[in-house]
Amino acid sequence: MSETASGLKSPAITVPCLVAGVMAILRFCVKYALRNVSEGTDILLTVSVIQLVIFILPCILYYLLKRRRLETEPFFHLIKPNHLVFVIVSALFLVCGILLAKYCQIVIFDDISSTSGFNEVLASGGKELSTAGVFLSCAVIPAVCEELFYRGVVLSEYRVYGSANAVLVSALCFAFLHFSFRNFVLYFFAGLVLGMVAVVTRSLLASVLLHLLSNTLSLYGSDYFLRVTVQKSGEFFMGFLLIALFGLSAVFLLSRLEHVYITYAERPPVGSLPPRSRDHFLRVFFSPSFLVLIAVFIVFTAFL
């Protein structure tokens, strides 16, 4: 764990600027560039390349500007065998939470609206697209690129202010870049679970796999499944079932989390622990850059 950078080089200043820049580019590409592509353009290839450029290129440039050294080392490790059960339980918790959030949308808004901008562009393309191509461009590539950005760079930079702060900020940034007030809680919840899994397992591969699972559910069936189930079984029964499953998965998750940290207490994975998050809370969430990032999200989502 490196010493916290100060002044203009502090992650509390630099990372929100990075995220705001990516938000601006992403918003322009989805709202204007992609909706005006010339006829005959391979839209799947275009979407894939744009995602690679938008998320990976800023990571590389930021890494170089930071003199090839982030504040803490990214979690480029494989999933350890003793973490597999925790990852599986986290996946169950994530799925139950997403289904419960979408159920609330059905009950409150009588509709589900959780598709990303890229998915909307593909859906309005007006022509048949290959299943494999859609899966690659809307599930696999986003899972890899977004996890490298949010959990690889954002979370790694903010871990110098404590793991809890890092998970919270990366989850907020994840929700910001989906440009949706209505689905903010859904994306924020998903970001929290993905960040927690990355920190606990110390493996970006774990968060990539869970992100891929979430994208796959969003593409194939979760919305349709909920609509049909609610119509057949009724809102009350489906709500009770989803709340029960979410509660049970949360209990299992806490149990496995306790097991993992008992193991870490016996065999610490690092020589020194990250600082306490509460000591840096004001510095992280009330920095001028972070407040500007919130304003950018509101303006882009409400007006652009």
Side-chain angles (χ1 to χ4, degrees):
M1 185 88 56
S2 66
E3 294 184 4
T4 307
S6 58
L8 295 177
K9 294 182 180 180
S10 165
I13 300 296
T14 59
V15 174
C17 292
L18 170 68
V19 176
V22 171
M23 286 176 69
I25 299 170
L26 180 62
R27 195 59 171 168
F28 172 79
C29 289
V30 171
K31 199 165 183 68
Y32 302 105
L34 276 177
R35 296 185 188 279
N36 296 284
V37 293
S38 58
E39 216 175 302
T41 302
D42 189 334
I43 190 65
L44 290 176
L45 179 60
T46 303
V47 167
S48 299
V49 171
I50 285 177
Q51 290 180 96
L52 289 168
V53 171
I54 287 176
F55 290 108
I56 302 302
L57 186 58
C59 289
I60 295 173
L61 292 176
Y62 184 83
Y63 180 70
L64 294 176
L65 288 173
K66 293 283 288 188
R67 298 181 180 180
R68 304 188 180 191
R69 183 183 179 183
L70 299 180
E71 291 298 317
T72 63
E73 181 185 356
F75 296 131
F76 293 131
H77 309 292
L78 296 176
I79 304 172
K80 295 181 180 179
N82 60 330
H83 290 159
L84 286 175
V85 176
F86 173 76
V87 173
I88 293 171
V89 173
S90 298
L92 177 63
F93 179 68
L94 176 63
V95 170
C96 291
I98 290 173
L99 290 176
L100 182 59
K102 291 185 175 183
Y103 163 81
C104 292
Q105 283 190 350
I106 292 177
V107 173
I108 297 172
F109 301 109
D110 194 28
D111 187 22
I112 298 178
S113 175
S114 59
T115 56
S116 69
F118 289 119
N119 291 5
E120 290 175 1
V121 170
L122 294 177
S124 62
K127 58 182 179 180
E128 288 189 15
L129 301 172
S130 70
T131 302
V134 170
F135 180 71
L136 179 65
S137 62
C138 293
V140 178
I141 291 178
V144 175
C145 293
E146 292 179 14
E147 288 310 303
L148 286 174
F149 182 76
Y150 297 114
R151 261 58 68 176
V153 173
V154 176
L155 187 142
S156 296
E157 282 284 85
Y158 269 97
R159 278 188 70 239
V160 77
Y161 301 125
S163 294
N165 285 334
V167 171
L168 281 170
V169 170
S170 65
L172 284 169
C173 292
F174 181 69
F176 288 162
L177 263 78
H178 284 85
F179 304 107
S180 174
F181 295 126
R182 186 164 164 180
N183 298 305
F184 186 87
V185 173
L186 188 154
Y187 290 122
F188 179 62
F189 166 77
L192 285 177
V193 177
L194 295 171
M196 177 199 65
V197 168
V199 167
V200 172
T201 64
R202 306 183 67 78
S203 172
L204 280 176
L205 178 59
S207 63
V208 168
L209 291 175
L210 263 64
H211 198 149
L212 178 59
L213 173 64
S214 173
N215 289 348
T216 303
L217 283 175
S218 180
L219 277 175
Y220 306 109
S222 63
D223 294 358
Y224 177 76
F225 167 78
L226 274 176
R227 286 193 188 97
V228 172
T229 307
V230 168
Q231 289 175 0
K232 298 291 185 182
S233 304
E235 290 182 0
F236 177 80
F237 174 78
M238 195 61 192
F240 173 80
L241 181 62
L242 288 174
I243 291 172
L245 290 174
F246 181 74
L248 285 173
S249 63
V251 171
F252 288 137
L253 179 65
L254 291 173
S255 174
R256 295 311 303 178
L257 190 60
E258 180 184 39
H259 175 79
V260 170
Y261 275 99
I262 287 174
T263 304
Y264 279 163
E266 296 171 350
R267 296 188 300 275
V270 290
S272 60
L273 295 175
R276 292 186 303 180
S277 292
R278 67 182 182 183
D279 295 339
H280 298 279
F281 183 84
L282 293 178
R283 183 179 185 180
V284 168
F285 293 100
F286 290 91
S287 73
S289 290
F290 192 76
L291 295 177
V292 169
L293 177 61
I294 295 174
V296 169
F297 162 69
I298 293 173
V299 171
F300 281 2
T301 305
F303 305 108
L304 298 177

